Amino acid sequence: MLLNDQVILIALSGEYKMQFGKKPGYDPDYDLKLDKSLARDEYPAEKLAAARAARHTSLCAQVCTREVWDKYKNVVSSGPAKWTLARAINTGVIYPESFVGCHAGDKESYDDFRDFFHPVIEKYHTGFSMQEGSALDGSPSERMDPAKISADLSDSAKDKIISTRIRIARNLSMFPLNPGGSRESREEIAALMAKVYRRIPIGSDLAGEFFLHTTMSDAQRQALIDDHFLFRGSDRMQAASGYHEHWPHGRGVYLNNAKTFVNWVNEGDHLRIISMEPDGDVKAVFARLSAGAKIIEDGVRAITGIDEVFMMHPKFGAVTCCPSNIGTGMRGSVHIKVPKLIETIGFEEIDGLCRERNCQARGTTGEHSQVLDRIDVSNWRRIGLPEYELVDDMIRCANFLANEEDTRG
Ligand code: ADP
Ligand code: MG
């Protein structure tokens, strides 16, 4: 594929519209809009007060008091994004129902706005302390060793599992995080990744092809989304953070030939490194993720000569746009069929049961999606623990839900 040439061609063609007529797979509703008060650099007092009064109080609303706002209202992050608190909290102000509601624009944002981000991190990652925390011990290959997974799926869970997917969110240390990035930074990332993918040996399990949103057809895109291989690019909450800006430039997906190793490029984080397959062979999925993450890291290092490839924070580990993903950046999930449970106790209660087990429930067509007869169950914790323990959390919770389903009639 001539990916670099495609990227350059698009860059040279000026406005995307001149070449393609419209932004493919994209609704202008998802353009970045700033809340009116934030756009005037004013504290959104009423909206945050209303959010606090609501049942689902976002972490953003809880932490961004007027005192915090006043401390940071004139501060600009010391990193490449020149991030501001107004930009950081836009999602939580516009969508008070969001759970987290804030985003970083660069690695430096997390410490430059520490009285805001550190409490958000501690509230989300219950039990983790920014004072005492330290980046994860052990090398990635130790932490992602499938032999260290100690739980096993029960037969009942195996029967009900439709598919397994484990992903890690990673950002490249040489670029701003995407909410604080530009069209150019996104395109440079895609061009770099195209080179990394070309280095994967032909004939290896991980070998495949890199597709760009700018060149795929609408039908191709939809088929990939329907098969859970590609991101939608149409989440209002994510749009308010700046994830979707300059869509579709620099956005792409790498798929190995078996479609079991998938990389999302510039969905929100620079990279989502994903391993997935039908059924419930969690260890095989985890082993492929581990090998895939290494090949990506080694490839970027070889091309750039930069030793610290992934953006890492000394206290919490991997840096991601959303504070919910920092640490390991790992979410391991199974899609599991539990129709009786959904009918009898409903999604919210199932989610509550999962939370008691360090897991969470989602709809199966992505975060904030509808629930029919199946749910997505995944680890909730992402920080302070090795990745294999988070996989154990997910396996145990899937076993529990399968058993609950069996005991309901
Ligand atoms: P992420 O945490 O990776 O952002 P999302 O909930 O946004 O996850 O889902 C992203 C996509 O991955 C969706 O298309 C979703 O259906 C798919 N997905 C997540 N988990 C699984 C799974 N276990 N099996 C198949 N597809 C999955
Ligand atoms: Mg997502």
Side-chain angles (χ1 to χ4, degrees):
M1 287 200 67
L2 295 171
L3 281 166
N4 274 341
D5 306 16
Q6 286 167 354
V7 169
I8 291 161
L9 183 75
I10 290 158
L12 290 176
S13 74
E15 269 304 291
Y16 185 86
K17 276 185 193 158
M18 285 169 59
Q19 202 181 7
F20 295 97
K22 69 181 180 87
K23 291 179 174 181
Y26 190 75
D27 178 336
D29 263 8
Y30 301 119
D31 281 346
L32 172 67
K33 294 175 193 77
L34 266 191
D35 167 74
K36 287 201 176 69
S37 312
L38 293 177
R40 290 193 302 262
D41 283 333
E42 285 166 12
Y43 182 60
E46 273 176 36
K47 286 198 186 144
L48 288 183
R52 281 181 207 117
R55 202 164 72 90
H56 288 292
T57 306
S58 73
L59 299 180
C60 162
Q62 286 177 43
V63 176
C64 195
T65 58
R66 188 179 282 279
E67 194 190 349
V68 169
W69 171 267
D70 284 343
K71 177 164 183 183
Y72 292 124
K73 65 183 178 194
N74 298 319
V75 173
V76 169
S77 73
S78 55
K82 307 276 171 270
W83 203 236
T84 62
L85 190 59
R87 277 297 308 275
I89 67 171
N90 191 50
T91 307
V93 173
I94 298 184
Y95 298 105
E97 69 278 22
S98 62
F99 192 86
V100 181
C102 57
H103 297 86
D106 47 25
K107 174 177 166 175
E108 292 75 3
S109 308
Y110 279 108
D111 291 329
D112 291 345
F113 302 103
R114 69 180 57 229
D115 289 353
F116 174 68
F117 275 115
H118 291 194
V120 166
I121 289 169
E122 289 179 347
K123 281 174 187 282
Y124 183 93
H125 303 277
T126 322
F128 180 79
S129 152
M130 279 301 293
Q131 289 296 320
E132 286 148 35
S134 65
L136 295 170
D137 294 333
S139 68
S141 54
E142 284 161 353
R143 297 197 314 261
M144 295 179 73
D145 179 355
K148 295 210 168 104
I149 296 175
S150 61
D152 272 318
L153 282 174
S154 65
D155 288 341
S156 166
K158 279 188 200 153
D159 278 352
K160 296 176 179 59
I161 288 173
I162 301 150
S163 55
T164 304
R165 172 182 183 269
I166 312 180
R167 57 82 166 161
I168 50 171
R170 286 290 181 273
N171 289 279
L172 299 167
S173 61
M174 39 292 196
F175 298 97
L177 292 169
N178 275 330
S182 59
R183 173 172 159 179
E184 289 70 28
S185 64
R186 289 169 165 96
E187 286 174 343
E188 281 175 36
I189 290 166
L192 170 62
M193 292 313 297
K195 287 188 199 156
V196 173
Y197 298 133
R198 271 194 230 120
R199 292 171 55 92
I200 299 179
I202 295 170
S204 90
D205 274 1
L206 302 177
E209 210 178 336
F210 185 35
F211 301 90
L212 289 176
H213 267 276
T214 42
T215 47
M216 69 177 83
S217 69
D218 282 351
Q220 242 184 334
R221 175 178 308 100
Q222 196 53 49
L224 289 170
I225 291 171
D226 292 345
D227 285 340
H228 306 275
F229 295 135
L230 187 56
F231 45 96
R232 297 171 294 173
S234 55
D235 180 315
R236 285 187 165 74
M237 290 193 193
Q238 294 185 350
S241 75
Y243 276 24
H244 299 339
E245 272 206 291
H246 311 288
W247 181 274
H249 300 290
R251 271 52 172 223
V253 62
Y254 177 81
L255 293 165
N256 72 340
N257 297 325
K259 294 193 169 125
T260 52
F261 178 63
V262 180
N263 282 199
W264 290 356
V265 176
N266 291 329
E267 178 230 19
D269 291 305
H270 299 157
L271 297 174
R272 289 288 170 98
I273 304 174
I274 301 164
S275 170
M276 61 197 288
E277 64 186 53
D279 299 325
D281 193 344
V282 181
K283 286 184 189 168
V285 170
F286 193 58
R288 190 183 312 110
L289 178 70
S290 182
K294 182 165 183 342
I295 213 164
I296 299 302
E297 185 170 4
D298 290 349
V300 175
R301 187 175 295 118
I303 292 166
T304 61
I306 292 172
D307 194 46
E308 188 170 296
V309 166
F310 296 137
M311 212 183 262
M312 289 293 187
H313 186 282
K315 287 257 184 231
F316 56 68
V319 176
T320 56
C321 313
C322 178
S324 66
N325 279 317
I326 61 164
T328 61
M330 195 194 96
R331 195 174 82 86
S333 70
V334 288
H335 282 179
I336 183 164
K337 263 194 165 172
V338 284
K340 280 185 273 176
L341 207 52
I342 293 169
E343 204 187 313
T344 48
I345 66 170
F347 174 77
E348 299 284 330
E349 208 168 309
I350 296 175
D351 187 39
L353 292 171
C354 293
R355 304 263 171 177
E356 287 168 18
R357 288 160 182 80
N358 297 317
C359 284
Q360 79 174 122
R362 290 185 179 186
T364 51
T365 51
E367 197 171 7
H368 314 127
S369 68
Q370 254 197 327
V371 174
L372 300 168
D373 63 340
R374 59 198 68 184
I375 58 156
D376 170 313
V377 52
S378 63
N379 60 291
W380 168 252
R381 302 188 288 187
R382 312 237 195 284
I383 200 168
L385 293 164
E387 283 82 341
Y388 59 82
E389 279 193 42
L390 307 181
V391 175
D392 279 336
D393 284 348
M394 188 264 286
I395 292 175
R396 291 197 186 100
C397 191
N399 288 346
F400 167 79
L401 293 176
N403 188 50
E404 286 291 297
E405 174 76 4
D406 290 339
T407 52
R408 268 160 220 268

